[in-house]
Amino acid sequence: MSPLPLLLPLLLLLLPLLNMEPARATLIRIPLHRVQPERRTLNLLRGRREPAEVPKLGAPSPGDKLTFVPLSNYRDVQYFGKIGLGTPPQNFTVVFDTGSSNLWVPSRRCHFFSVPCWLHHRFDPKASSSFQANGTKFAIQYGTGRVDGILSEDKLTIGGIKGASVIFGEALWESSLVFTVSRPDGILGLGFPILSVEGVQPPLDVLVEQGLLDKPVFSFYLNRDSEVADGGELVLGGSDPAHYIPPLTFVPVTVRAYWQIHMERVTVGSGLTLCARGCAAILDTGTPVIIGPTEEIRALHEAIGGIPLLAGEYIIRCSEIPKLPAVSLLIGGVWFNLTAQDYVIQFAQGDVRLCLSGFRALDIASPPVPVWILGDVFLGAYVAVFDRGDMKSGARVGLARARPRQADLGRRETARAQYRG
């Protein structure tokens, strides 16, 4: 996970001036919450390589247990949830990031001049009876900042799961202003093991290996209603049918590092086709927007009337939103449509209203095909089920239209765990 430039927080300050169903599965929810905006992009240049062959991991069987983590969201920009580390648990808020694979939080032993550390909750090893020292140094380079620290081992509490022994990072130095203004304390990576710094086993793998989670499967439901505190849910072990409108469309993961799939085409209304020869698409919960190649994103903004602002940002005339064309993504032979309400990020403060495009440009050197990153603008409209697979089936991603929040709440009492095989 790598922070994008800090333009969005500055804009906010300037506003006043300008689906088979397993039987009897248990649902444990991890809420998501809203957070101070932190624009970031996936740093594909850090450790970007073809992963080595790894065992295929997979589909849930009857009786699977699901863990639900409620999520929070700040103005459709970033989602985070709560975890605990140590005995008794010390509570932290973390971004659940499919674009990285390590867990880290600030340390009570952090450097005196590391400002972000002092503005967040810090892990105290002396306050945990289950703490085990490791001491291996780690460093993670993000797009606009770096985290340095040491590895430690302790118990993880997440949703209804307790007692998982995990190796995590205690951050001793956070070099970027992005970490200062970001409300979450740290990051919990949900990417593949090959992305993990220092070869640390990712938390998801630990939960499965220690028998605390039946399968390496999880799903995100991101609530895009910025007027309410509820940001949605992270579901560990499967998916909840109350979150989406069936069916789920499954597509294979093409590179087992980031959650990368093949996208056949992108259209803007009936007059513009992008990704015409196919492209790679990475599903990244840590990126708030949709990112594509510079020339194609420029053409897209010409088609929707985007006005260039700064650092790749485009303003959309708020009054034009009802007239804007749909942007449609062809994935697995199915069209996934985004309306302007989906892809325009709207902010209001008092009588001032600002509408920003949810598309950004970034050229990622990854031949032979262009790379797009489908962040929260897409994942808010469509629930994604991330399935690492097993020895019989490869990794895959399932997509289905997110159910409107009101309908979701109405179905919650009768909803049961569902996983489409």
Side-chain angles (χ1 to χ4, degrees):
M1 168 194 175
S2 310
L4 281 171
L6 288 171
L7 180 59
L8 188 56
L10 296 178
L11 287 173
L12 293 176
L13 295 176
L14 292 173
L15 274 175
L17 305 176
L18 295 163
N19 294 324
M20 300 303 275
E21 181 177 346
R24 297 176 297 280
T26 302
L27 304 183
I28 307 172
R29 306 178 184 278
I30 307 177
L32 296 177
H33 304 274
R34 287 183 172 79
V35 66
Q36 181 68 28
E38 170 203 336
R39 303 308 282 285
R40 43 84 74 196
T41 184
L42 191 63
N43 182 6
L44 295 173
L45 301 180
R46 177 185 65 79
R48 180 64 175 172
R49 60 196 185 280
E50 286 299 309
E53 280 298 315
V54 294
K56 298 178 181 179
L57 298 171
S61 58
D64 290 344
K65 295 181 180 179
L66 305 187
T67 295
F68 287 73
V69 183
L71 301 178
S72 294
N73 161 42
Y74 183 85
R75 301 194 177 190
D76 298 336
V77 174
Q78 189 186 72
Y79 296 82
F80 68 98
K82 296 180 180 179
I83 65 168
L85 284 169
T87 306
Q90 300 173 42
N91 294 325
F92 299 92
T93 54
V94 295
V95 176
F96 295 103
D97 179 30
T98 58
S100 64
S101 298
N102 287 84
L103 166 61
W104 66 264
V105 297
S107 172
R108 195 165 186 82
R109 300 178 280 182
C110 63
H111 194 284
F112 180 79
F113 293 106
S114 181
V115 176
C117 179
W118 296 94
L119 298 178
H120 291 86
H121 297 98
R122 294 173 293 151
F123 178 77
D124 184 359
K126 294 182 180 179
S128 172
S129 62
S130 53
F131 172 79
Q132 295 185 49
N134 179 296
T136 302
K137 294 181 179 180
F138 79 93
I140 304 177
Q141 179 66 52
Y142 298 127
T144 57
R146 175 183 168 111
V147 173
D148 292 82
I150 58 174
L151 297 178
S152 297
E153 185 172 351
D154 215 326
K155 301 298 183 181
L156 171 67
T157 299
I158 179 170
I161 296 177
K162 300 178 181 180
S165 181
V166 298
I167 295 177
F168 66 99
E170 288 189 60
L172 304 180
W173 177 260
E174 301 171 52
S175 66
S176 175
L177 178 62
V178 169
F179 296 121
T180 302
V181 301
S182 178
R183 190 174 301 172
D185 303 309
I187 297 170
L188 189 151
L190 291 167
F192 287 76
I194 197 166
L195 293 182
S196 181
V197 172
E198 299 299 329
V200 174
Q201 189 175 29
L204 182 69
D205 299 68
V206 172
L207 295 178
V208 174
E209 183 179 277
Q210 297 183 11
L212 299 171
L213 192 66
D214 292 324
K215 296 291 180 181
V217 181
F218 59 93
S219 59
F220 279 89
Y221 169 64
L222 306 182
N223 181 17
R224 302 294 286 175
D225 184 353
S226 61
E227 300 302 316
V228 298
D230 176 17
E233 287 182 329
L234 162 63
V235 183
L236 297 178
S239 63
D240 183 350
H243 290 161
Y244 58 84
I245 300 172
L248 285 164
T249 297
F250 280 92
V251 291
V253 170
T254 55
V255 177
R256 294 177 179 86
Y258 305 102
W259 288 90
Q260 180 174 318
I261 61 175
H262 177 69
M263 184 162 64
E264 292 102 298
R265 193 155 67 250
V266 177
T267 62
V268 183
S270 57
L272 177 63
T273 297
L274 308 173
C275 176
R277 297 182 179 179
C279 49
I282 294 170
L283 295 147
D284 183 15
T285 57
T287 296
V289 294
I290 294 176
I291 293 174
T294 299
E295 291 304 315
E296 297 203 308
I297 295 299
R298 183 180 294 119
L300 182 151
H301 282 121
E302 289 178 0
I304 66 175
I307 304 170
L309 187 58
L310 295 171
E313 301 274 3
Y314 282 78
I315 287 180
I316 302 294
R317 293 183 178 88
C318 298
S319 60
E320 294 295 308
I321 290 177
K323 307 173 188 176
L324 295 182
V327 176
S328 302
L329 292 69
L330 183 61
I331 301 172
V334 175
W335 286 103
F336 294 88
N337 302 315
L338 298 173
T339 67
Q341 291 291 340
D342 295 323
Y343 65 73
V344 176
I345 302 172
Q346 304 181 50
F347 304 95
Q349 184 170 324
D351 295 331
V352 181
R353 188 179 174 205
L354 178 65
C355 296
L356 295 177
S357 167
F359 294 95
R360 301 289 180 274
L362 178 67
D363 293 314
I364 301 168
S366 182
V369 295
V371 175
W372 289 61
I373 300 173
L374 307 185
D376 297 339
V377 164
F378 179 80
L379 296 172
Y382 291 92
V383 167
V385 180
F386 299 84
D387 179 4
R388 287 271 294 278
D390 58 17
M391 297 303 293
K392 296 180 180 179
S393 60
R396 60 182 185 167
V397 174
L399 298 170
R401 185 76 192 189
R403 195 178 295 278
R405 190 60 177 170
Q406 294 272 342
D408 178 20
L409 292 174
R411 289 168 52 91
R412 176 58 53 77
E413 291 302 318
T414 58
R416 300 194 315 176
Q418 175 172 323
Y419 190 91
R420 181 180 171 82

